[in-house]
């Protein structure tokens, strides 16, 4: 019985840490993702649910800091000029974006 109580206490202590890890994305970042996803896939209730699911899945596998870095690189890759070149050609930038693409691919499988 004592081991059962200890196990329950350990699980209860671990739950907030997991919840915090999943919810480390600010609400406005999640909303921005959902709005962009719906603009691309359709403005329906079904897409609202699927796009919300997608950002939740991305948040589970990709820390928010990595998400911000990848989004920044993607935006810089869309610009023109001399400064955008490093964001298009550096291996480090490609790897940052690849992490987001992997998370999005997993989210697509699970949510769409």
């Amino acid at each position: 019985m004592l081991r059962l109580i200890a196990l329950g206490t350990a699980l209860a202590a671990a739950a907030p840490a997991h919840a915090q890890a999943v919810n480390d994305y600010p609400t406005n970042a999640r909303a921005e993702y959902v709005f962009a996803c719906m603009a691309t896939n359709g403005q329906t209730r079904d897409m609202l649910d699927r796009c919300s699911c997608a950002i939740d899945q991305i948040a589970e596998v990709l820390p928010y800091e990595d998400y911000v870095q990848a989004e920044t690189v993607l935006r810089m890759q869309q610009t023109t000029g001399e400064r955008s070149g490093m964001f298009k050609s550096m291996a480090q930038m490609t790897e940052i974006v690849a992490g987001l693409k992997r998370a999005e691919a997993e989210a697509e499988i699970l949510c769409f």
Side-chain angles (χ1 to χ4, degrees):
M1 181 68 162
L2 219 42
R3 285 194 303 187
L4 208 57
I5 293 171
L7 178 61
T9 304
L11 289 175
H18 176 67
Q20 179 60 35
V22 171
N23 292 320
D24 70 342
Y25 282 47
T27 302
N28 64 342
R30 288 177 183 263
E32 183 179 308
Y33 181 92
V34 171
F35 288 145
C37 176
M38 289 178 68
T40 302
N41 296 301
Q43 304 285 334
T44 65
R45 173 64 194 196
D46 182 50
M47 279 303 129
L48 172 64
D49 293 340
R50 291 175 187 269
C51 293
S52 297
C53 171
I55 191 61
D56 290 344
Q57 293 300 318
I58 291 168
E60 283 206 27
V61 297
L62 192 68
Y64 182 64
E65 184 178 318
D66 293 351
Y67 176 81
V68 170
Q69 288 178 354
E71 284 291 317
T72 302
V73 171
L74 287 170
R75 288 185 180 159
M76 292 304 295
Q77 287 176 345
Q78 294 175 354
T79 64
T80 58
E82 190 176 307
R83 292 184 181 176
S84 69
M86 72 178 232
F87 291 96
K88 295 176 183 176
S89 62
M90 286 182 64
Q92 181 182 11
M93 301 301 168
T94 304
E95 185 55 37
I96 289 171
V97 172
L100 176 59
K101 296 294 183 188
R102 284 189 295 271
E104 287 179 328
E106 184 176 328
E108 187 171 332
I109 291 168
L110 295 171
C111 301
F112 290 88

